[in-house]
Amino acid sequence: MDGRRPKFGVVLQGGGALGAYEAGAIDYLYSLGMECAIAAGASAGAMNAATLAGATRYPPRVLRELWERLAVDGLIPFLPKVPTPFVPALVQRIWSYYLPSPWVPGMYRPRLDYWNLPSWTSLTKPTLRRTLDNLLDWDQVRDARHMRLIVSASGVETGRIAYFSNISAGELPGGPEYPPVRFGPEHVQASGSIFPGFPWTMITNRAWWDGGLIDNTPLKPVLDNLRGDEPATMPIFVIDVNSDTAPLPGNMVQGAFRLLEMFAANRLRADLDTARSYTRFITALRQADEQLPPDASVRQTPEWIESLSYDHVRQIHLINMNKPAQDSPGDFSRASIERRLSAGYDQCRAVLEEAGWSPPPAPAPTPALEQLAAERASTRLREQRELEPHQPARS
């Protein structure tokens, strides 16, 4: 992390292939000269957040590479590609909207053990871990000094949310929703284990499903883990990839997608309303405190003291992608992925320009950040030299 760049936080929703919108939006935020200090995500958003944290090159470029690896060129990968003009329009429509991509090599493959069909609890086998292993530095992902990372997951047995994070146990907020872990690919996979497409992910003898089932817009863990003056100065961007309104579903698949979208939209509205109420409460409480006599008994109560210690988060920006209602989260076709990457960039720019928003000034570099940047640069230089072919000395 470069201590000279302004920092931002980001909240990334789940939405399958719609996560490409988020990658495009992040590309625009980085183009403003900023970099991410804290990211929270659910499902596809967790995958994007982990990629941001683990990228050893320019993060938006690595995010684009991730989505290029997830894109598929035909209904069945590995078969010869049929040129688009020869594919009937109805077939293309069925593939892109009515049916999810049945095989995305970089994320999942279909199950073939049909003899076990009565005991299936999922329709696919995940392959995402191999994709992430090829792109990310997991030691860097685990380094919260580089970037704080949180992903949500839903307990299959408990029905409760968990926020898995790379933040050390001593710095995490209290509560059972913040279990201390050594962060790894299994936590990203757990956050995206959506039923019935994916099997649940086992972590410490517990089964976990998709984080979006309970918290698809994990704004709370970002607010819980801000530091110093970040609540007052650092912008938090919430990337919304789901539609508030949509036409009536035309089949079962559309109905299932719309149902999940409505869950996500309702939770987002509730979270934003809570954040606004929280801000109004803190403002009113501090104004009241200024009017009280210094020796007022209420000022000595633990509840009053604790309430005054709450941070006032001033900059939460909702970036609505305004996606077409028929844009399916199951459509991983290459043309759709490329369109979403470009649309995410353009829409984020349009929203912020319309609001007249500009990046905050860069913070003063701290010794810790300068040391971290020097360590990263030294490590990459050493790795580059190790990869270079040996040149014999000249006589």
Side-chain angles (χ1 to χ4, degrees):
M1 180 178 292
D2 187 347
R4 297 166 294 181
R5 290 176 176 267
K7 304 298 185 289
F8 68 89
V10 67
V11 180
L12 302 171
Q13 293 181 335
L18 305 181
Y21 284 115
E22 298 172 339
I26 290 168
D27 190 2
Y28 178 70
L29 295 176
Y30 269 79
S31 76
L32 297 176
M34 301 188 295
E35 66 179 5
C36 187
I38 181 169
S43 199
M47 178 179 64
N48 283 334
T51 302
L52 271 180
T56 58
R57 293 172 285 124
Y58 183 55
R61 187 174 300 124
V62 179
L63 266 176
R64 172 172 282 275
E65 184 176 344
L66 167 68
W67 284 98
E68 289 173 348
R69 294 189 182 199
L70 297 178
V72 294
D73 293 310
L75 187 60
I76 305 296
F78 312 122
L79 293 182
K81 182 181 177 183
V82 179
T84 299
F86 295 98
V87 180
L90 178 60
V91 174
Q92 294 184 51
R93 186 182 179 196
I94 289 174
W95 175 28
S96 65
Y97 184 35
Y98 290 93
L99 294 173
S101 298
W103 191 350
V104 179
M107 181 177 283
Y108 59 83
R109 62 175 176 81
R111 292 185 67 165
L112 302 176
D113 57 330
Y114 297 110
W115 56 90
N116 291 322
L117 185 61
S119 62
W120 280 14
T121 56
S122 68
L123 300 175
T124 67
K125 292 287 188 181
T127 57
L128 178 63
R129 180 165 185 163
R130 182 173 65 246
T131 302
L132 295 179
D133 284 346
N134 290 335
L135 282 174
L136 308 184
D137 177 349
W138 286 104
D139 288 333
Q140 179 173 298
V141 171
R142 297 182 184 102
D143 189 350
R145 297 177 303 165
H146 173 72
M147 196 186 91
R148 281 157 281 163
L149 172 65
I150 308 108
V151 302
S152 62
S154 305
V156 179
E157 299 138 302
T158 65
R160 295 181 178 275
I161 193 70
Y163 299 114
F164 297 124
S165 177
N166 64 352
I167 301 172
S168 64
E171 296 180 301
L172 281 172
E177 69 269 30
Y178 289 105
V181 298
R182 184 175 188 270
F183 197 92
E186 65 274 16
H187 299 102
V188 180
Q189 188 166 299
S191 186
S193 296
I194 183 68
F195 179 83
F198 294 92
W200 56 63
T201 299
M202 297 299 298
I203 299 175
T204 57
N205 299 318
R206 291 284 186 181
W208 299 93
W209 268 338
D210 194 292
L213 296 174
I214 299 178
D215 192 356
N216 196 53
T217 311
L219 173 61
K220 178 183 182 297
V222 169
L223 302 182
D224 285 347
N225 288 283
L226 297 178
R227 298 172 178 173
D229 64 351
E230 289 177 345
T233 62
M234 190 172 74
I236 309 296
F237 298 100
V238 180
I239 313 298
D240 183 11
V241 300
N242 294 288
S243 301
D244 285 340
T245 60
L248 287 174
N251 57 47
M252 294 292 288
V253 174
Q254 292 178 24
F257 285 152
R258 181 58 185 153
L259 186 65
L260 292 173
E261 197 169 51
M262 289 172 64
F263 279 135
N266 287 335
R267 180 61 189 257
L268 173 59
R269 283 194 291 268
D271 283 349
L272 290 176
D273 288 344
T274 299
R276 295 187 186 102
S277 298
Y278 176 87
T279 297
R280 289 193 295 268
F281 167 73
I282 295 300
T283 301
L285 187 68
R286 290 180 177 173
Q287 290 174 348
D289 185 70
E290 293 174 356
Q291 303 300 319
L292 288 173
D295 58 349
S297 59
V298 69
R299 302 185 74 174
Q300 312 306 317
T301 62
E303 293 81 7
W304 189 269
I305 294 171
E306 180 183 0
S307 298
L308 285 177
S309 70
Y310 293 161
D311 292 319
H312 184 174
V313 181
R314 299 179 184 276
Q315 297 193 58
I316 300 177
H317 305 277
L318 177 64
I319 310 295
N320 191 325
M321 288 293 101
N322 285 336
K323 75 170 184 68
Q326 70 275 15
D327 201 355
S328 166
D331 177 12
F332 283 84
S333 63
R334 189 167 300 280
S336 295
I337 294 296
E338 290 291 341
R339 173 180 56 78
R340 294 181 191 120
L341 289 168
S342 297
Y345 184 100
D346 293 340
Q347 180 64 11
C348 186
R349 177 176 60 187
V351 170
L352 294 181
E353 287 182 351
E354 182 179 355
W357 187 87
S358 59
T366 64
L369 283 177
E370 291 178 339
Q371 180 182 357
L372 177 60
E375 290 173 358
R376 294 290 182 203
S378 176
T379 299
R380 289 172 190 166
L381 180 61
R382 183 174 64 254
E383 292 174 348
Q384 182 179 356
R385 288 174 175 171
E386 291 173 353
L387 292 173
E388 291 175 351
H390 176 68
Q391 299 292 334
R394 296 181 178 177
S395 57

